[in-house]
Structure formats: structure tokens, C-alpha cells
């Protein structure tokens, strides 16, 4: 019995020594013989070296995959654009509202754009118009943002992004009336969309990027 135990212990020790020797070898792997020559390498990264690190400068013809934007500011404006026009820069609705964000001609004039045709053909100008209009609305509604954010009206928690989205839909004056009447004066547009609906649908996005500016212009 003792011989068997001794033999087994010796065999186990021998195996351990051999394994240790194989793993502790100083031999290094020579990678010089490896090559990608002849292989077909497919990359998903664009070859455009002129892409700028600017989340707001979006290419109208870019149909590439976009990551989930969550409640970021870019997520806010893209969600709003999708609701307004399906994200189409060249859209004109039955009431004559223009572009990705569906601007009216009178609103464009207030932010310095007097050529609707040029506006419709320029994605870059449309992005600038959205920022300028939001900044102007934020200034007009600054007191209402301070007084009503966090309150609940008609079962909907008021947020800054909800206020700015509703102002884009109905104008800041209509949003003031909605808030100050505690939801009794609920503007409805030509398609039946209400201030309350936009308040709820676009609630909780981060719109801190927008700085209130009374004189905001797109050009």
C-alpha cells in the first residue's frame, strides 16, 4: 500500500515538473512570419478623413448606422426632427412648413433667414436654425422654465426639453398660456398635435447645451 502511494506521488511530481518547464520557457513567439498579405480586410470605418468632431454638423446624405442617442441633446433634436418630418431636410408639408424641423416662414425671418428656398436646400443652415430658434425660445420662456420645471400638469411632469419641444411646435406664447393656465389652454396644431403631447413625448432630454439668447440668429 505504501509502495503504491509513493509511486503515485512520484508520478504526480514528475508531471508537475514537466508542465512547469513547458510554461516557464524563455522561448518567445516570432511574429515576423505572420502577414495579412492576400487577405481581404473589410472595415466599417469611413475613409473620410475630413469628418469633424461636431455632433451638430450632420450630413443629410449620411445613411450609416447611428448609435442610440438616449436623452442627449442630439437625441432630442433628432427625435423631434423625426416626429416633424421623418428627418427629411427637403420636406415641405401641406401647410408650407419647411425642412427637417418644419419651420414656418415667419419663424425663419425672426432668426435672420429671408430666403426659404435657400434654407430648404441647406442642411447646415437648417441645423443652425434649430439651435437659434431653441435659444430664442429658451430666453422667452426662461421664467416659465424656472417656475414650472418639476411640476406635474395634466399628469405630465414638466421638463425643460418638453417646454422647448412644445415651443417649437406651437410657439413660446402658446406654451406660456398652457403652463400658466395649468393645462387648460392646450394649443392644437393643424394636424391635431397638442402642446401637452409634445410636453410628454419630449420629456427628460438634456437641453443644457442650448443657451438662452434673445437675439439668436441662424446667420
Amino acid at each position: 500500500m505504501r509502495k503504491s502511494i509513493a509511486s503515485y506521488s512520484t508520478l504526480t511530481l514528475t508531471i508537475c515538473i514537466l508542465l512547469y518547464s513547458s510554461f516557464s520557457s524563455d522561448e518567445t513567439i516570432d511574429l515576423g512570419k505572420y502577414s495579412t498579405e492576400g487577405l481581404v480586410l473589410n472595415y466599417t470605418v469611413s475613409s473620410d478623413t475630413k469628418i469633424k468632431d461636431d455632433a451638430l454638423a450632420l450630413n443629410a446624405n449620411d445613411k450609416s448606422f447611428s448609435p442610440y442617442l438616449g436623452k442627449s441633446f442630439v437625441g432630442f433634436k433628432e427625435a423631434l426632427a423625426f416626429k416633424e418630418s421623418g428627418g427629411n431636410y427637403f420636406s415641405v408639408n401641406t401647410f408650407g412648413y419647411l425642412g427637417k424641423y418644419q419651420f414656418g416662414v415667419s419663424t425663419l425671418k425672426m432668426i435672420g433667414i429671408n430666403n426659404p428656398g435657400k434654407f430648404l436646400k441647406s442642411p447646415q443652415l437648417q441645423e443652425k436654425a434649430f439651435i437659434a430658434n431653441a435659444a430664442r425660445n429658451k430666453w422667452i420662456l426662461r421664467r416659465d422654465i424656472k417656475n414650472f420645471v418639476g411640476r406635474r400638469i395634466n399628469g405630465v411632469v414638466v421638463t425643460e426639453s418638453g417646454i422647448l419641444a412644445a415651443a417649437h411646435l406651437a410657439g413660446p406664447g402658446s406654451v406660456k398660456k398652457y403652463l400658466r393656465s395649468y393645462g387648460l389652454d392646450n394649443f392644437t396644431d393643424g394636424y391635431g398635435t397638442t402642446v401637452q403631447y409634445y410636453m410628454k413625448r419630449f420629456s427628460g432630454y438634456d437641453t443644457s447645451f442650448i443657451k438662452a439668447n434673445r437675439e439668436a440668429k441662424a446667420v
Side-chain angles (χ1 to χ4, degrees):
M1 183 69 176
R2 290 181 180 177
K3 276 188 176 183
S4 297
I5 294 173
S7 299
Y8 178 76
S9 300
T10 302
L11 179 61
T12 302
L13 181 61
T14 302
I15 292 172
C16 290
I17 292 171
L18 289 173
L19 289 173
Y20 176 79
S21 299
S22 64
F23 284 110
S24 62
S25 173
D26 292 333
E27 182 181 357
T28 57
I29 298 174
D30 181 12
L31 298 177
K33 62 183 180 180
Y34 294 96
S35 172
T36 58
E37 184 178 356
L39 296 177
V40 178
L41 302 178
N42 295 315
Y43 295 97
T44 57
V45 179
S46 171
S47 60
D48 186 355
T49 58
K50 297 181 181 180
I51 295 177
K52 297 181 179 179
D53 185 18
D54 182 357
L56 301 178
L58 302 176
N59 186 338
N61 298 315
D62 184 10
K63 303 299 181 183
S64 61
F65 172 77
S66 176
Y68 176 64
L69 299 171
K71 291 292 187 176
S72 68
F73 173 71
V74 177
F76 168 72
K77 74 184 189 69
E78 291 305 306
L80 186 57
F82 187 81
K83 177 64 179 69
E84 292 287 332
S85 70
N88 181 3
Y89 283 106
F90 311 107
S91 172
V92 180
N93 76 5
T94 54
F95 293 99
Y97 287 83
L98 307 167
K100 179 179 177 180
Y101 301 101
Q102 294 292 278
F103 277 96
V105 173
S106 59
T107 300
L108 291 176
K109 287 181 179 179
M110 285 190 290
I111 54 176
I113 298 173
N114 297 304
N115 188 332
K118 180 180 178 181
F119 169 80
L120 191 61
K121 294 176 182 178
S122 174
Q124 292 77 15
L125 186 56
Q126 291 185 37
E127 294 296 335
K128 291 178 180 179
F130 180 81
I131 300 299
N133 188 55
R136 181 177 174 277
N137 287 339
K138 190 168 182 176
W139 186 88
I140 295 171
L141 292 162
R142 64 195 185 284
R143 292 190 181 91
D144 298 276
I145 290 170
K146 180 180 179 180
N147 293 332
F148 287 97
V149 165
R151 296 190 184 188
R152 190 179 292 272
I153 297 178
N154 289 338
V156 178
V157 176
V158 177
T159 65
E160 182 179 284
S161 62
I163 288 175
L164 294 180
H168 183 85
L169 170 77
S174 295
V175 175
K176 280 187 178 185
K177 291 177 182 178
Y178 174 83
L179 293 172
R180 296 178 187 186
S181 70
Y182 286 87
L184 294 177
D185 193 336
N186 189 14
F187 171 90
T188 303
D189 76 355
Y191 295 110
T193 307
T194 65
V195 164
Q196 180 181 323
Y197 175 76
Y198 263 43
M199 284 275 190
K200 181 178 181 179
R201 174 139 187 186
F202 300 104
S203 172
Y205 285 88
D206 179 7
T207 50
S208 59
F209 174 86
I210 297 295
K211 304 304 178 186
N213 182 359
R214 181 182 183 180
E215 304 297 333
K217 302 292 182 184
V219 292

